[in-house]
Amino acid sequence: MLDQTDRPSASRRVFRSKVDAIRPTYGFEDVSLAPGTDTIEPADVELNQEFCGIPLAIPILAAAMDAVVDSRMAGALASLGGLAILNLEGVQTRYENPDEILGRIAAAVDDEVQDLLATAYAEPVRDELIARRIDEIHAAGSKAAVAATPGAARRLGPFCAEHGADLFLVQSQVSSARHLASGYDPLSLEEFTRFMPIPVAVGNTTNSEAAYALMEQGAAAVFVGVGPGAACTTREVLGIGVPQVTAISDVAAARDAYHAETGRYVPVVADGGMRRGGELAKAIAAGADVLMVGSPLARAEEAPGRGMNWGMASPSPTLPRGTRIKVGTVGSLERILLGPAHISDGTENLVGALRQSMAALGARTIHDMQRVEIVFAPAVATEGKSWQRRG
């Protein structure tokens, strides 16, 4: 039997805990943008760019959510300089008259809505309705951008391209460069982008290495965000997600490295988590080129959700990863994006706020804004604001 003095000393042992190596990550509320030496006039700020071959006057995409995008909304956003993305697996492609089912979903009581969603989305997607919606979007004055999950993309992608779609988004909860499956042949993004005659964007990811690999496989744009949306519960249900400022910055680093090595610039789209103008500004400062917005646009009079919004994964009958939320209807899409704002909480005139922020930081272009200083500032939202928080 060993004497106590003969045992190895616990002080000489090294215990490695996963917690010791946890990486700090940052969301919009954790950071602030630091002014520099220059300022410019807001009127001189340039927000226009080309996104996957489509000209944008403002860096705004409407999320591929049934309560946000239909052909009318696509036309309204296009007239303001943005782009809406239609969900190819939503009610618009399952029903001749989607307004009826949208009304039922909006009016359902809370304890019945998940069952109603599951029933509504059990109807099959119809090819003739896909073709019709693409035509309707074009007739409304917009380019036709459409989205589908990887499982449906192999069939729907070529069909949409044949019927005039301008951009195809392969969007899933988490996109990876290599998906392993034993029960079916997963989509090969490299092959898909090679034979598709229109640009193929891919989402969503939060990882720089995954983003770089997606770019290598031909992605025309990469969407960033796992679980930050107001109607998404992925982070609660599955425990997955990275705060958006860190996620955007990591993927933007991959974009910059890929551009330096290949000469091809792949736009980064911040998808979700932005409600106020300051958050749009922080997303671009973190490295985003374009901003995908859902719930803030669901509040527009033109939105099909009637003041409600629900996540794309909500219809699952066994494990919903989204919820229906009441966002209300506050006014026109133009007022929400371009003003004039009628309230002071930053949720109206989103693009005007972005323009003003860029001007105050001396950023004339999106690329200039991506170079402004970001500081860790957890007190920035509360410092000196006690009177605003009273009551």
Side-chain angles (χ1 to χ4, degrees):
M1 181 174 179
L2 285 174
D3 184 83
Q4 185 74 22
T5 58
D6 295 327
R7 293 179 180 178
S9 171
S11 64
R12 292 197 294 268
R13 296 191 183 104
V14 177
F15 300 98
R16 301 191 183 280
S17 167
K18 182 179 287 188
V19 173
D20 295 337
I22 286 180
R23 178 169 70 116
T25 58
Y26 306 101
F28 294 122
E29 295 181 357
D30 300 317
V31 302
S32 186
L33 307 181
T37 58
D38 299 332
T39 59
I40 64 173
E41 284 296 312
D44 293 331
V45 170
E46 300 173 4
L47 297 176
N48 58 295
Q49 62 184 288
E50 185 173 283
F51 175 71
C52 299
I54 299 173
L56 298 179
I58 58 175
I60 301 294
L61 306 182
M65 307 172 82
D66 280 349
V68 179
V69 175
D70 61 4
S71 58
R72 178 191 179 208
M73 185 69 160
L77 183 54
S79 71
L80 301 177
L83 178 69
I85 300 181
L86 181 74
N87 176 14
L88 289 175
E89 297 170 83
V91 297
Q92 296 292 328
T93 60
R94 297 174 191 266
Y95 295 90
E96 290 271 352
N97 179 18
D99 286 344
E100 188 272 334
I101 192 66
L102 287 166
R104 289 175 56 198
I105 294 171
V109 297
D110 290 344
D111 59 358
E112 296 177 1
V113 70
Q114 289 295 345
D115 289 340
L116 176 58
L117 284 166
T119 300
Y121 287 83
E123 287 293 312
V125 172
R126 295 161 53 183
D127 288 355
E128 72 272 16
L129 291 180
I130 292 176
R132 184 186 306 176
R133 303 306 178 221
I134 291 172
D135 289 342
E136 290 173 351
I137 291 171
H138 283 148
S142 175
K143 296 290 187 180
V146 296
T149 57
R154 182 182 280 114
R155 186 182 72 82
L156 295 182
F159 180 86
C160 290
E162 181 182 347
H163 287 82
D166 301 285
L167 171 65
F168 193 90
L169 168 61
V170 181
Q171 191 166 37
S172 61
Q173 174 189 323
V174 178
S175 292
S176 62
R178 186 170 61 110
H179 179 67
L180 304 179
S182 59
Y184 65 96
D185 182 23
L187 177 73
S188 168
L189 180 63
E190 187 171 15
E191 293 178 6
F192 186 72
T193 58
R194 188 166 54 243
F195 73 68
M196 280 286 285
I198 61 175
V200 176
V202 182
N204 283 25
T205 189
T206 61
N207 180 276
S208 55
E209 291 185 8
Y212 192 95
L214 294 171
M215 295 171 194
E216 287 185 309
Q217 292 177 359
V222 175
F223 285 62
V224 181
V226 174
C232 184
T233 58
T234 297
R235 292 179 178 179
E236 293 86 349
V237 175
L238 302 185
I240 299 173
V242 175
Q244 279 291 71
V245 170
T246 293
I248 295 164
S249 181
D250 286 353
V251 174
R255 173 203 60 206
D256 294 342
Y258 184 77
H259 179 240
E261 294 182 25
T262 68
R264 185 169 78 94
Y265 190 88
V266 180
V268 169
V269 181
D271 179 9
M274 297 161 289
R275 182 172 173 238
R276 298 177 172 85
E279 291 157 354
L280 272 65
K282 292 175 185 180
I284 291 181
D289 299 283
V290 182
L291 311 166
M292 176 176 264
V293 184
S295 292
L297 303 189
R299 305 170 77 214
E301 294 167 348
E302 297 90 339
R306 297 163 171 79
M308 296 288 186
N309 193 22
W310 53 92
M312 289 175 286
S314 298
S316 167
T318 59
L319 191 64
R321 293 188 305 280
T323 183
R324 188 195 62 175
I325 59 173
K326 183 176 182 178
V327 296
T329 300
V330 300
S332 69
L333 181 64
E334 182 174 7
R335 176 174 143 191
I336 291 170
L337 289 178
L338 304 180
H342 293 188
I343 53 179
S344 61
D345 65 357
T347 60
E348 295 182 3
N349 196 6
L350 296 175
V351 174
L354 170 61
R355 185 182 294 275
Q356 185 70 44
S357 178
M358 292 175 64
L361 295 165
R364 186 179 300 273
T365 67
I366 296 291
H367 290 309
D368 291 339
M369 188 65 166
Q370 292 167 346
R371 292 190 287 268
V372 305
E373 183 184 9
I374 299 177
V375 296
F376 177 55
V380 74
T382 57
E383 185 177 43
K385 301 297 190 296
S386 59
W387 284 356
Q388 292 184 22
R389 302 197 309 275
R390 283 182 181 175

